[in-house]
């Protein structure tokens, strides 16, 4: 704590000199929630065209190996803000409030003369520090007619669609509140495409008629890996709700005698209950059609057919929410262009983690396997970052804080654990051979066992350690679909030994000796006893 403060004061004391430096850049951090890189056309054209998000990649750099340190929402956000791994910033899981004694990069930027604002999803259980303005969703927020916690107006409810509203708020701030005297740092944080995947009314007709290619591993039987993959509760067929997720009416489920998965029907009813009569009429029209077709098809469906049907419905809704994200990113970029704000602005597009779009039969995230461990990342900064670059460097969400401080010419606190990406993005030398990963939220929704891992460009060495105690070694080059654990294969004996050594060194470097002792389990059990989980 003392260190944080010392560093904070040190950085503040720099503000006088730094404030005079010419042209400190504006920083716009755009982040969506659960946006898989497979659903961005700059990465992959099979699923969705995202021409506006792609504009950022085209005018800057696209990272193909960006990853998170802990693939879950609030912990990822805490790592982004603090530049520290979860075990040091304390936000190991989604359940408990963020420790606001942490010093975050927005606080440092603000103290050094930046105007700061945040709009959208934070998911911390408390208000952000270091912001001149904020309007944030409480907890996960809602897609329709959402509530907001605001800095100056208390709690408000705004009618409309969340992705449009967050953008309206952001543009309003740029137009009416932005100071021409100061550089700004703006966090523009979408709720979409988070579950329960409600798209904007204007996309319903078009997006619910599309079909999508299935991933190669949709019918993964998890045979090649240790038990956590099989035990996770995120298989589309067995864990995705017919009502809450796929929008089959509870009455349709009853008439077809389809068993409910979790509190699936209640989730659907609650979502629909938020709609205004005119919004509801639009959804009813589309859902009536889907239900009528389903009632005809269901009696002759095999288990494989059901999986295929659910996958298609999932893709329609998930990708449907992203249509509005892309349109709204376009609105923001258009505004910046029209107002000469592109030139001296660093723009980042990323997600709080990746997401499974049917790979391994899954939805959700949490695992260190690629689709949730990796996250989309692209950065533009005209004049500083050359357009049209691609990098496969092992960068992480851990690096944002130091990157932004570096861009502003402010030294980073010594206890931040990332690395500024500016040398890398501007063609100077930058090196990292391996990254560290640690996921904790178990037992919890989706039941992904705790694990930590070292990831290099060639291998992953993973230790699952709570409900199971198993090791996995994945050869990323030979087995890009990550289906085969070669930990006990004699051919990999020496690689295994080297990776174990590297992993030990990385845990030491990042000061992580925590496994079950992080206290999460005790808090979880207490919460469960109090009926909060
Ligand atoms: C909700 C979702 C989960 C999701 C978590 C965490 N269930 O609980 O599927 O894993 O959020 O997501 S839901 O039925 O309530 O939609 S995170 O992005 O916030 O970490
Ligand atoms: Ca998320």
């Amino acid at each position: 704590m003392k260190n944080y403060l010392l560093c904070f004061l040190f950085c503040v004391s720099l503000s006088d000199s730094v404030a005079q430096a010419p042209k400190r850049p504006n920083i716009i951090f755009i982040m969506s929630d659960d946006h898989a890189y497979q659903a961005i056309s700059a990465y992959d054209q099979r699923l969705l065209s995202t021409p506006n998000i792609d504009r950022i990649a085209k005018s800057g750099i696209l990272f193909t190996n960006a990853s998170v340190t802990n693939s879950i929402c609030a912990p990822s956000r805490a790592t982004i803000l603090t530049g520290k791994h979860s075990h040091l910033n304390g936000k190991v899981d989604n359940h408990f409030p963020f420790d606001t004694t942490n010093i975050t990069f927005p606080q440092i930027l603000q103290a050094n003369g930046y105007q700061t604002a945040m709009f959208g999803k934070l998911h911390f259980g408390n208000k952000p520090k270091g912001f001149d303005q904020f309007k944030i969703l409480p907890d996960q927020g809602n897609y329709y007619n959402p509530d907001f916690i605001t800095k100056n107006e208390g709690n408000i409810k705004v009618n409309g669609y969340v992705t449009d509203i967050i953008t309206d708020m952001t543009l309003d701030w740029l137009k009416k509140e932005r100071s021409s005297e100061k550089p700004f740092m703006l966090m523009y944080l979408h709720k979409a495409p988070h579950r329960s995947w409600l798209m904007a009314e204007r996309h319903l007709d078009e997006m619910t008629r599309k079909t999508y290619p299935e991933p190669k591993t949709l019918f993964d039987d998890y045979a090649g890996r240790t038990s956590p993959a099989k035990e996770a509760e995120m298989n589309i067929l067995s864990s995705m709700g017919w009502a809450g997720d796929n929008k089959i009416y509870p009455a349709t489920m009853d008439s077809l005698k389809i068993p409910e998965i979790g509190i699936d029907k209640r989730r659907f009813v609650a979502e629909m209950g938020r709609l205004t009569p005119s919004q509801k009429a639009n959804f009813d029209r589309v859902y009536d059609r889907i239900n009528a077709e389903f009632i005809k098809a269901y009696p002759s469906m095999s288990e494989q057919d059901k999986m295929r049907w659910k996958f298609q419905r999932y893709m329609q809704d998930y990708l449907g929410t992203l249509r509005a994200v892309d349109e709204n990113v376009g609105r923001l970029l258009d505004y910046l262009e029209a107002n000469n704000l592109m030139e001296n602005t660093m723009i980042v597009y990323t997600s709080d983690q990746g997401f499974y779009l049917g790979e391994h039969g899954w939805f959700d995230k949490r695992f260190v396997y690629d689709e949730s461990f990796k996250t989309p990342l692209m950065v533009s900064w005209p004049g500083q970052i050359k357009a049209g670059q691609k990098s496969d460097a092992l960068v992480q969400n851990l690096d944002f804080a130091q990157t932004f401080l570096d861009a502003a010419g402010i030294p980073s606190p010594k206890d931040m654990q990332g690395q500024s990406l500016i040398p890398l993005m501007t063609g100077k030398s930058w090196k990292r051979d391996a990254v560290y990963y640690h996921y904790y939220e178990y037992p919890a929704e989706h039941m992904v066992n705790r694990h930590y891992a070292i990831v290099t460009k060639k291998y992953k060495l993973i230790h699952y350690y709570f409900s199971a105690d198993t090791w996995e070694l994945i050869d990323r080059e030979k087995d890009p679909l990550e289906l085969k654990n070669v930990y006990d294969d004699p051919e990999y004996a020496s690689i295994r030994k080297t990776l174990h050594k590297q992993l030990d060194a990385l845990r030491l470097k990042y000061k992580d000796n925590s496994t079950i002792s992080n206290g999460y389990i005790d808090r979880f059990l207490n919460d469960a006893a109090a009926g909060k989980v």
Side-chain angles (χ1 to χ4, degrees):
M1 180 60 210
K2 227 181 201 166
N3 282 347
Y4 291 146
L5 275 181
L6 275 177
C7 154
F8 188 48
L9 292 175
F10 168 66
C11 294
V12 172
S13 71
L14 277 173
S15 65
D16 288 345
S17 57
V18 179
Q20 305 312 319
K23 287 208 110 188
R24 286 187 297 163
N26 305 309
I27 297 164
I28 301 186
F29 183 79
I30 311 174
M31 186 162 77
S32 298
D33 190 358
D34 293 356
H35 193 169
Y37 54 86
Q38 309 91 294
I40 295 181
S41 44
Y43 285 99
D44 187 337
Q45 273 107 52
R46 288 170 317 139
L47 295 176
L48 185 72
S49 165
T50 51
N52 290 302
I53 294 171
D54 295 0
R55 280 159 73 181
I56 301 171
K58 279 195 192 123
S59 58
I61 183 166
L62 179 78
F63 288 95
T64 56
N65 247 329
S67 63
V68 295
T69 61
N70 180 1
S71 180
I72 183 127
C73 186
S76 169
R77 289 154 204 264
T79 290
I80 290 168
L81 290 172
T82 61
K84 291 180 186 173
H85 276 276
S86 306
H87 61 278
L88 293 192
N89 68 46
K91 188 84 180 112
V92 295
D93 58 54
N94 269 343
H95 294 282
F96 292 86
F98 175 68
D99 175 357
T100 54
T101 61
N102 277 299
I103 297 295
T104 63
F105 83 81
Q107 285 172 285
I108 301 175
L109 286 179
Q110 188 188 44
N112 282 273
Y114 267 73
Q115 189 185 11
T116 54
M118 175 188 278
F119 301 100
K121 179 171 168 185
L122 176 62
H123 199 190
F124 267 9
N126 43 40
K127 296 176 185 173
K129 279 187 169 174
F131 288 90
D132 299 316
Q133 178 61 284
F134 64 78
K135 294 182 182 177
I136 55 169
L137 297 163
D139 193 34
Q140 297 281 10
N142 286 99
Y143 274 106
Y144 276 88
N145 314 318
D147 299 307
F148 283 85
I149 299 164
T150 72
K151 178 149 183 165
N152 302 321
E153 300 157 55
N155 296 351
I156 57 171
K157 180 175 178 175
V158 186
N159 277 341
Y161 184 62
V162 72
T163 307
D164 300 335
I165 296 168
I166 291 168
T167 311
D168 292 344
M169 288 171 165
T170 301
L171 289 174
D172 262 13
W173 181 81
L174 281 168
K175 289 173 193 165
K176 298 179 193 152
E177 290 181 47
R178 185 178 67 84
S179 154
S180 53
E181 309 293 307
K182 289 177 167 188
F184 67 85
M185 192 286 294
L186 167 67
M187 300 189 88
Y188 167 53
L189 309 173
H190 284 297
K191 168 187 172 57
H194 193 273
R195 199 179 180 192
S196 56
W197 313 305
L198 287 188
M199 70 185 92
E201 290 166 84
R202 60 186 179 276
H203 298 127
L204 268 168
D205 275 309
E206 182 196 339
M207 294 305 284
T208 54
R209 290 176 198 277
K210 293 198 185 267
T211 49
Y212 294 96
E214 291 169 3
K216 289 188 186 133
T217 56
L218 184 64
F219 292 98
D220 190 352
D221 62 3
Y222 313 113
R225 280 128 293 154
T226 63
S227 57
K230 197 177 177 70
E231 282 160 10
E233 295 174 0
M234 47 195 246
N235 181 277
I236 293 174
L237 179 61
S238 53
S239 296
M240 182 176 276
W242 289 99
D245 294 317
N246 295 145
K247 322 312 191 289
I248 290 303
Y249 294 143
T252 305
M253 288 175 65
D254 293 344
S255 74
L256 296 170
K257 300 197 168 41
I258 300 176
E260 186 177 15
I261 296 169
I263 53 160
D264 183 20
K265 293 179 186 171
R266 237 193 298 160
R267 283 177 37 227
F268 179 75
V269 173
E271 290 280 12
M272 294 298 107
R274 290 193 65 87
L275 303 180
T276 63
S278 109
Q279 291 164 347
K280 177 123 191 338
N282 270 325
F283 276 89
D284 283 349
R285 198 167 37 78
V286 170
Y287 289 173
D288 283 354
R289 167 173 55 80
I290 291 171
N291 275 261
E293 288 167 7
F294 181 72
I295 288 168
K296 275 198 214 135
Y298 184 79
S300 61
M301 277 185 185
S302 67
E303 291 303 286
Q304 277 208 347
D305 295 337
K306 287 178 197 165
M307 176 60 139
R308 296 205 146 103
W309 185 90
K310 288 181 108 170
F311 168 74
Q312 294 298 337
R313 281 294 302 118
Y314 167 36
M315 284 303 90
Q316 291 170 351
D317 286 350
Y318 176 95
L319 299 170
T321 68
L322 284 169
R323 291 289 305 281
V325 171
D326 190 66
E327 286 172 359
N328 278 290
V329 167
R331 284 175 69 203
L332 175 66
L333 297 180
D334 289 348
Y335 177 84
L336 298 173
E337 273 171 12
N339 290 277
N340 282 331
L341 281 168
M342 278 296 197
E343 206 42 51
N344 193 32
T345 302
M346 177 192 277
I347 304 176
V348 173
Y349 187 90
T350 192
S351 170
D352 59 344
Q353 13 63 212
F355 211 69
Y356 297 98
L357 303 184
E359 298 87 1
H360 305 290
W362 286 333
F363 64 108
D364 213 66
K365 52 254 178 180
R366 300 160 193 266
F367 278 108
V368 72
Y369 305 124
D370 271 0
E371 292 80 4
S372 61
F373 163 68
K374 296 206 318 189
T375 195
L377 175 61
M378 55 195 83
V379 185
S380 73
W381 187 9
Q384 302 289 333
I385 299 176
K386 226 171 51 204
Q389 296 183 73
K390 220 177 210 187
S391 167
D392 68 351
L394 294 168
V395 302
Q396 287 202 295
N397 59 347
L398 185 68
D399 300 321
F400 286 128
Q402 277 148 283
T403 302
F404 299 147
L405 292 174
D406 193 11
I410 302 168
S412 302
K414 290 268 178 299
D415 57 355
M416 283 191 174
Q417 297 183 303
Q419 232 168 290
S420 167
L421 302 181
I422 289 181
L424 171 63
M425 298 191 294
T426 53
K428 302 195 182 74
S429 101
W430 193 92
K431 199 168 156 14
R432 183 184 276 151
D433 298 328
V435 292
Y436 182 62
Y437 182 85
H438 198 156
Y439 170 80
Y440 304 80
E441 193 178 286
Y442 180 97
E445 200 176 6
H446 301 299
M447 295 301 276
V448 173
N449 195 10
R450 294 164 186 223
H451 54 293
Y452 58 85
I454 177 172
V455 181
T456 67
K457 283 191 183 161
K458 284 180 148 202
Y459 302 105
K460 285 182 187 173
L461 177 67
I462 311 165
H463 186 203
Y464 290 100
Y465 66 84
F466 192 76
S467 71
D469 184 0
T470 60
W471 287 88
E472 287 183 1
L473 173 55
I474 303 283
D475 183 331
R476 302 184 79 190
E477 283 177 353
K478 290 205 180 125
D479 177 24
L481 298 178
E482 301 180 296
L483 295 172
K484 197 161 179 268
N485 174 21
V486 292
Y487 188 81
D488 291 320
D489 183 336
E491 271 189 30
Y492 286 87
S494 87
I495 289 160
R496 189 177 84 186
K497 205 169 154 199
T498 310
L499 284 167
H500 266 292
K501 263 202 199 138
Q502 278 182 282
L503 174 60
D504 289 347
L506 216 50
R507 278 169 68 80
L508 209 61
K509 170 179 165 186
Y510 288 127
K511 303 186 171 63
D512 187 10
N513 53 12
S514 62
T515 51
I516 57 170
S517 62
N518 67 55
Y520 169 67
I521 184 64
D522 303 326
R523 289 179 293 152
F524 178 83
L525 292 175
N526 286 341
D527 255 35
K532 287 193 214 155
V533 178

